[in-house]
Amino acid sequence: ELMTGYTMLRNGGVGNGGQPWVLRWSSRIRLTWLSFTLFIILVFFPLIAHYYLTTIDDADDAGKRIFGPRTGNELCEVKHVQDLCRIRESVSEELLQLEAKRQELNSEIAKLNLKIEACKKSIENAKQDLLQLKNVISQTEHSYKELMAQNQPKLSLPIRLLPEKDDASFPLPKSNRNCRLHNCFDYSRCPLTSGFPVYVYNSDDYPFGSSLDPLIKQAFEATVRTNVYVTENANIACVYIILVGEMQEPVMPKPTELEQQLHSLPYWRTDGHNHLIINLSRKSETQNFIYNISTGRAMVAQSTFYDVQYRPGFDIVVSPLVHAMSEPNFLEIPPQVPVKRKYLFSFQGEKIESLRSSLQEVRSFEEEIEGNAPADYDDRIITTLKAVQDSKLDFVLVEFTCKNQPKASLPTEWALCGERDDRLELLKQSTFALIITPGDTHLVISAGCAMRLFEALEVGAIPVVLGEQVQLPYNDVIRWNEAALIIPKPRITEVHFLLRSISDNDLLAMRRQGRFLWETYFSTSDNVFSTVLAIIRTRIQIPAAPIREETAVEIPHRSGKAAGTDPNMADNGDLDLGPVETEPPYASPKYLRNFTLTAMDIYRNWNSAPGPFHLFPYTPFDPVLPSEAKFLGSGTGFRPIGGGAGGSGKEFQAALGGNVPREQFTVVMLTYEREEVLMNSLERLNGLPYLNKVVVVWNSPKLPSEDLLWPDIGVPIMVVRTEKNSLNNRFLPWDEIETEAILSIDDDAHLRHDEIMFGFRVWREARDRIVGFPGRYHAWDIPHQSWLYNSNYSCELSMVLTGAAFFHKYYAYLYSYVMPQAIRDMVDEYINCEDIAMNFLVSHLTRKPPIKVTSRWTFRCPGCPQALSHDDSHFHERHKCINFFVKVYGYMPLLYTQFRVDSVLFKTRLPHDKTKCFKFI
């Protein structure tokens, strides 16, 4: 029954009939109630809960707050939570304590590190002090040993003995023809320490003075006024000089009158000993009017001599004075290259009077073998030279008849043809210039021959002198075979072969030597007069006077500013560059060989072509350079006691070694109104080893600021005031420069100390060359047929700029006093090219290129004010300078080189027992 009722309910009814409406109603009631219940729960319950919670949180009693934010203490009301909070607080406190301890330990560590660094610095300073003390002790020991080794006291100059006013007469030679220095010269008037005083008579005080050529007299007087040997005190004079020619023909005095006037000179002393009679020739037709005059024991200097008149070793053959009152124009002098010219040789002349023709004289072969030379070879010479000209083998030009009236000449002498300018034009096209000596063998030299020689040397035509009996100018001190060919006349048939066989290198060498002789001894009145005095002074073995130095006028300045050390300039690590010099600075030794130089080196000084140990402008008449000893003798094997200790490792670093183990250098810095840049550059020199002093050449008319404080770099700083703004002032031989080595440096150049020291070491190995850092080269511009200046970086160079370079002080004298004035004038005109001029000079003298030392690209000052080299016209001016200098020298003296010196292992950190040196690559 239950099952049946259940089934009936499922089927919607009760019993068989069912009542579905009851079930439907019951279902609706349940759904409605369920929906209402859900509504109440979902809507009203959240609202009631929100209200309840809000009411509780806003209650005044804080203890009734249940769901609001609470403090840490409130959250720790539960015992477990409170334990955790206590643990957290304890850990936080311990962490704070540990952090404080950590900071304290870090502070202590920093203090200890500072102490360690201070100790290291003090140790390094102590090592440096110890090294300096060792160097001082070593140098003192060397000096002591050198003094002991000399084993002789220093000699002081003897007291100068003044000659008596009335010289005691000494026996006359049998004939004036036999006069030599030993029997016709009074040595007592010329002590070694006399300085060779020379007294020059004023020709205007004597009647013959009005007959002198005005140009020659004016040039002679101008030369006398500037000569260092001339004195106005006749009582102490060693030599007395009187000018007697060239005389003008219409007013020339008679020989007897001139002789009486000479013998009446106030210091003639009966025989004219220690007198020099000068007869200069300005024209080829100058007459030998002294031939018939008794000159007694007086020496004679002129251009024309007969054998019975000329006294070898006593009289002097001088060159003609062509450029009496003017300097030679270098722009008109042809270049020395190309070597070969249009004509192989040339000759123009006419013989007015000759001896009997040798071709018409019947002579046997035996007579010629016996040495009886024919009376006159000129006919044979004419025939041979004409045959060479007609053969057309070479272009030659020989003319034995003048187109115009020939110049007056002596008997048997070949007279000059045409005017001087016409003759020079022909010689400019001639490789060789023939000079035929007079047919009269008794005429040892004539003014015409001397004039031909002068003109040939002037334009670079190599002289070929036919006649070995000739006495060329200054023949007793000049080796003429280095600049000319002197051929006996009997070899006239072999002359053509001989001239064709000479190589181009030999031709250029002879032409260069001839140009040197002409510039040094012939070109100006100063050169002629100085040469005559030098010959006499050299013969009697008196040393030359010291050359003058530029007196440095110091600009007062305040110093005391402590100079810092740029770490980029002086960071050398553990490398010891050498001792920082202390007071007093060590100057290079002076030249102590003055009294033996003349006797030992006479021929080398007069004749040597430019070479590594001889600078050709230095001749016996040039004053002695006080610092020349090291330059000429540093490589001759002399080794001071104690040298040779700087072989490797620590010894190499600490000592210079070599043949001159003790030496310093001077920095010469040119500046112009750039005070800040200058001060920075000076500070960078602080602590530089082997620095003697710094000479600042102040090139501005405006003086430095009065409140400018100069840095104290441990060595003297000499600020020199100049007379004018000139780049030539960089190379003036200032008397404050006491070392042979000069480091010329711009005020905006940056060089590290190790770079400077490396350059100094390299220069000591090549003292005759420029050693520096920035290299340049010259190039030939084919389209324009001219030389160019090139500053591009290249593996090949021919110049080293003197903005950072070492050179010998010797070159400062030569640049300022010997180099042609035209070059210095162009430097002043362009305010440029002084470095090129110095490179030309040194290469011309040594025939060697400069040496480049590799730097670390720190040469120029970053951020410094603009320099002259940044001007657009800078390079155009340097192009012009090079081409002008080539014209002055006559050729391009610069030489290319791919050689440079690199610092290999010089700064490498190696143990002291290992080798440390530099190599050349």
Side-chain angles (χ1 to χ4, degrees):
E1 287 183 4
L2 292 173
M3 290 299 296
T4 303
Y6 175 75
T7 302
M8 290 176 63
L9 290 173
R10 292 186 57 186
N11 293 331
V14 178
N16 295 331
Q19 296 177 352
W21 61 271
V22 176
L23 294 175
R24 289 193 296 272
W25 181 81
S26 177
S27 300
R28 291 192 185 106
I29 293 176
R30 287 196 297 270
L31 291 173
T32 302
W33 175 252
L34 181 60
S35 299
F36 179 78
T37 303
L38 291 174
F39 178 78
I40 296 297
I41 293 173
L42 294 177
V43 176
F44 290 97
F45 183 80
L47 294 175
I48 295 171
H50 180 267
Y51 173 77
Y52 178 79
L53 293 176
T54 305
T55 302
I56 292 176
D57 290 338
D58 293 337
D60 295 336
D61 189 2
K64 297 180 180 180
R65 298 175 63 183
I66 299 176
F67 298 100
R70 299 176 182 273
T71 63
N73 293 332
E74 294 173 341
L75 295 176
C76 295
E77 293 177 353
V78 182
K79 183 179 179 180
H80 181 68
V81 175
Q82 291 177 349
D83 292 341
L84 293 177
C85 290
R86 283 195 299 271
I87 293 173
R88 188 191 69 176
E89 292 176 356
S90 175
V91 170
S92 299
E93 183 177 357
E94 290 179 359
L95 289 176
L96 292 175
Q97 293 176 356
L98 291 175
E99 178 64 21
K101 290 182 178 179
R102 188 183 69 82
Q103 293 179 358
E104 182 179 356
L105 291 175
N106 287 339
S107 177
E108 292 180 359
I109 291 173
K111 293 180 180 179
L112 292 176
N113 287 335
L114 292 176
K115 291 182 179 180
I116 292 173
E117 293 297 328
C119 292
K120 288 183 178 179
K121 290 183 179 179
S122 62
I123 292 174
E124 291 297 327
N125 293 334
K127 288 181 178 179
Q128 292 292 334
D129 294 340
L130 178 61
L131 182 60
Q132 291 183 15
L133 290 175
K134 288 182 178 179
N135 289 333
V136 171
I137 294 173
S138 176
Q139 293 172 1
T140 305
E141 290 177 350
H142 291 166
S143 300
Y144 174 75
K145 290 179 180 179
E146 288 176 0
L147 292 175
M148 294 299 295
Q150 291 178 4
N151 196 26
Q152 60 183 7
K154 287 190 175 181
L155 296 177
S156 60
L157 293 178
I159 299 176
R160 178 174 176 178
L161 301 178
L162 298 179
E164 298 291 339
K165 293 183 179 180
D166 297 328
D167 296 336
S169 59
F170 47 94
L172 291 172
K174 295 180 180 180
S175 170
N176 291 338
R177 179 75 176 82
N178 298 326
C179 259
R180 299 296 184 270
L181 288 176
H182 69 276
N183 57 7
C184 288
F185 190 85
D186 184 6
Y187 280 90
S188 65
R189 301 197 63 89
C190 307
L192 288 176
T193 59
S194 64
F196 191 61
V198 175
Y199 179 80
V200 180
Y201 292 98
N202 186 359
S203 300
D204 292 334
D205 296 339
Y206 306 95
F208 63 84
S210 59
S211 303
L212 295 176
D213 185 302
L215 287 178
I216 287 184
K217 183 168 65 173
Q218 187 178 358
F220 183 78
E221 292 174 351
T223 300
V224 167
R225 285 194 297 267
T226 59
N227 194 275
V228 297
Y229 297 107
V230 174
T231 179
E232 296 181 357
N233 187 357
N235 295 325
I236 65 171
C238 169
V239 175
Y240 301 85
I241 297 178
I242 182 67
L243 178 68
V244 299
E246 179 177 66
M247 288 193 175
Q248 296 173 313
E249 292 288 343
V251 293
M252 182 181 297
K254 297 180 180 179
T256 55
E257 296 176 354
L258 180 59
E259 181 176 332
Q260 292 177 357
Q261 295 175 25
L262 290 177
H263 292 183
S264 64
L265 293 175
Y267 304 100
W268 187 262
R269 298 184 179 90
T270 69
D271 57 5
H273 62 271
N274 289 45
H275 274 65
L276 173 65
I277 301 173
I278 298 181
N279 178 23
L280 297 177
S281 301
R282 195 167 64 89
K283 301 183 293 292
S284 62
E285 58 269 22
T286 301
Q287 298 297 320
N288 183 18
F289 60 88
I290 301 182
Y291 180 76
N292 296 318
I293 293 177
S294 174
T295 59
R297 290 178 171 175
M299 295 173 285
V300 177
Q302 62 179 11
S303 299
T304 302
F305 280 103
Y306 284 95
D307 57 357
V308 296
Q309 178 189 13
Y310 179 68
R311 296 164 292 185
F314 194 74
D315 293 327
I316 302 174
V317 179
V318 299
S319 62
L321 186 60
V322 177
H323 301 288
M325 290 300 296
S326 62
E327 294 286 337
N329 188 354
F330 292 100
L331 297 180
E332 297 179 357
I333 299 176
Q336 299 185 34
V337 289
V339 177
K340 299 290 182 62
R341 297 177 177 178
K342 178 180 179 180
Y343 299 111
L344 177 64
F345 61 83
S346 64
F347 178 82
Q348 284 182 326
E350 183 173 341
K351 200 168 186 178
I352 306 302
E353 181 181 351
S354 62
L355 299 177
R356 185 178 49 192
S357 174
S358 62
L359 298 179
Q360 297 175 358
E361 182 181 0
V362 180
R363 294 175 54 85
S364 65
F365 178 77
E366 289 77 7
E367 289 177 330
E368 295 189 5
I369 292 298
E370 291 176 359
N372 297 323
D376 193 356
Y377 277 99
D378 289 354
D379 292 340
R380 185 182 303 177
I381 291 174
I382 293 173
T383 303
T384 303
L385 295 182
K386 284 185 175 180
V388 174
Q389 186 178 27
D390 296 338
S391 67
K392 308 294 184 181
L393 294 176
D394 293 290
F395 285 107
V396 299
L397 191 151
V398 290
E399 296 178 353
F400 301 103
T401 303
C402 295
K403 298 178 182 179
N404 300 320
Q405 182 67 25
K407 304 294 182 181
S409 61
L410 296 175
T412 74
E413 181 186 18
W414 287 92
L416 293 172
C417 294
E419 299 298 327
R420 168 176 158 81
D421 292 340
D422 298 331
R423 297 195 300 270
L424 292 180
E425 287 301 321
L426 175 60
L427 292 175
K428 289 177 182 179
Q429 304 178 61
S430 305
T431 305
F432 297 94
L434 295 185
I435 301 175
I436 305 176
T437 59
D440 185 0
T441 57
H442 297 292
L443 186 60
V444 295
I445 185 63
S446 66
C449 286
M451 184 65 69
R452 290 181 182 273
L453 179 67
F454 180 95
E455 293 177 350
L457 296 177
E458 181 178 5
V459 297
I462 300 174
V464 179
V465 182
L466 295 178
E468 79 284 2
Q469 81 283 355
V470 68
Q471 299 290 332
L472 296 180
Y474 321 125
N475 62 298
D476 54 342
V477 290
I478 293 180
R479 287 197 296 264
W480 278 104
N481 58 352
E482 295 181 355
L485 295 174
I486 302 176
I487 303 174
K489 287 185 177 181
R491 293 192 179 275
I492 183 59
T493 57
E494 302 172 330
V495 167
H496 186 211
F497 167 79
L498 179 61
L499 299 185
R500 296 189 67 184
S501 65
I502 299 177
S503 65
D504 289 354
N505 290 337
D506 292 339
L507 289 177
L508 183 58
M510 296 180 71
R511 185 172 293 165
R512 281 189 68 241
Q513 183 68 7
R515 175 72 174 269
F516 150 61
L517 295 176
W518 179 79
E519 288 183 355
T520 309
Y521 308 119
F522 292 72
S523 59
T524 65
S525 59
D526 286 340
N527 290 345
V528 173
F529 184 67
S530 298
T531 303
V532 171
L533 294 185
I535 291 177
I536 300 175
R537 183 182 51 75
T538 305
R539 287 174 176 176
I540 62 178
Q541 300 180 350
I542 293 182
I547 195 170
R548 71 181 181 93
E549 294 186 299
E550 290 294 322
T551 303
V553 180
E554 184 177 7
I555 300 177
H557 61 280
R558 294 190 304 159
S559 60
K561 175 184 176 183
T565 302
D566 188 347
N568 294 324
M569 298 293 107
D571 179 20
N572 304 308
D574 60 353
L575 180 61
D576 175 29
L577 296 179
V580 178
E581 303 301 339
T582 57
E583 295 289 348
Y586 177 75
S588 297
K590 299 295 184 181
Y591 196 21
L592 302 178
R593 293 183 58 236
N594 290 4
F595 294 102
T596 56
L597 169 69
T598 305
M600 296 176 59
D601 302 329
I602 174 174
Y603 282 101
R604 186 195 64 174
N605 288 339
W606 282 88
N607 297 283
S608 294
F613 295 106
H614 175 69
L615 304 187
F616 74 79
Y618 175 74
T619 60
F621 69 80
D622 288 323
V624 170
L625 305 185
S627 61
E628 189 190 11
K630 294 284 184 59
F631 184 83
L632 296 181
S634 60
T636 57
F638 169 75
R639 193 178 192 87
I641 296 177
S648 62
K650 183 68 175 178
E651 293 79 11
F652 177 81
Q653 299 177 12
L656 285 174
N659 296 320
V660 188
R662 186 183 183 192
E663 187 173 16
Q664 297 176 353
F665 62 91
T666 302
V667 169
V668 176
M669 187 177 295
L670 187 73
T671 187
Y672 186 90
E673 296 184 4
R674 300 200 296 181
E675 295 180 354
E676 183 179 357
V677 174
L678 175 63
M679 296 303 106
N680 293 334
S681 297
L682 292 176
E683 288 188 7
R684 286 192 294 271
L685 299 178
N686 184 33
L688 180 61
Y690 301 107
L691 179 60
N692 181 272
K693 71 173 61 171
V694 178
V695 176
V696 177
V697 181
W698 192 264
N699 220 25
S700 170
K702 180 182 177 182
L703 296 180
S705 304
E706 295 182 359
D707 58 348
L708 183 62
L709 193 61
W710 296 69
D712 183 4
I713 60 175
V715 298
I717 297 179
M718 175 69 66
V719 185
V720 178
R721 185 174 185 176
T722 57
E723 296 180 356
K724 64 176 182 178
N725 177 21
S726 172
L727 293 180
N728 292 316
N729 295 333
R730 179 195 296 271
F731 302 124
L732 284 175
W734 302 104
D735 56 358
E736 289 295 331
I737 301 176
E738 300 178 319
T739 61
E740 299 178 32
I742 295 177
L743 172 58
S744 174
I745 188 169
D746 289 339
D747 58 0
D748 60 352
H750 270 217
L751 287 175
R752 296 168 57 99
H753 286 188
D754 61 295
E755 293 172 347
I756 295 176
M757 289 312 305
F758 182 65
F760 181 48
R761 288 179 178 269
V762 174
W763 176 85
R764 285 166 44 81
E765 302 291 333
R767 308 174 73 90
D768 60 335
R769 298 161 81 172
I770 299 177
V771 176
F773 299 90
R776 300 290 187 268
Y777 67 96
H778 66 289
W780 179 250
D781 184 7
I782 297 179
H784 298 90
Q785 293 294 294
S786 63
W787 294 102
L788 295 177
Y789 170 85
N790 200 313
S791 63
N792 296 328
Y793 290 108
S794 172
C795 294
E796 192 170 55
L797 60 103
S798 59
M799 292 174 283
V800 166
L801 303 187
T802 54
F806 285 92
F807 63 89
H808 201 286
K809 188 181 179 182
Y810 190 86
Y811 294 121
Y813 296 101
L814 300 181
Y815 184 98
S816 302
Y817 304 141
V818 178
M819 188 179 68
Q821 181 63 37
I823 296 179
R824 293 190 293 272
D825 291 341
M826 191 166 197
V827 171
D828 287 336
E829 178 183 354
Y830 286 150
I831 316 180
N832 198 346
C833 307
E834 85 286 356
D835 47 1
I836 300 178
M838 177 60 81
N839 277 271
F840 265 71
L841 174 66
V842 177
S843 295
H844 174 62
L845 301 178
T846 63
R847 303 307 302 136
K848 295 179 182 179
I851 297 178
K852 173 179 170 54
V853 180
T854 304
S855 62
R856 291 168 178 78
W857 310 101
T858 60
F859 177 62
R860 280 298 171 194
C861 168
C864 289
Q866 192 173 22
L868 292 174
S869 58
H870 296 286
D871 194 337
D872 293 338
S873 62
H874 177 75
F875 288 96
H876 296 289
E877 293 172 350
R878 294 173 85 80
H879 299 330
K880 296 179 182 178
C881 287
I882 285 186
N883 287 281
F884 178 76
F885 296 165
V886 169
K887 291 181 179 178
V888 173
Y889 283 97
Y891 75 112
M892 168 54 74
L894 297 180
L895 299 173
Y896 293 108
T897 180
Q898 297 179 3
F899 175 86
R900 83 172 193 270
V901 182
D902 254 341
S903 174
V904 180
L905 300 182
F906 187 67
K907 283 201 63 179
T908 305
R909 300 332 188 230
L910 293 178
H912 293 162
D913 58 343
K914 302 297 183 180
T915 300
K916 186 176 293 188
C917 61
F918 61 86
K919 296 181 179 179
F920 300 110
I921 64 172

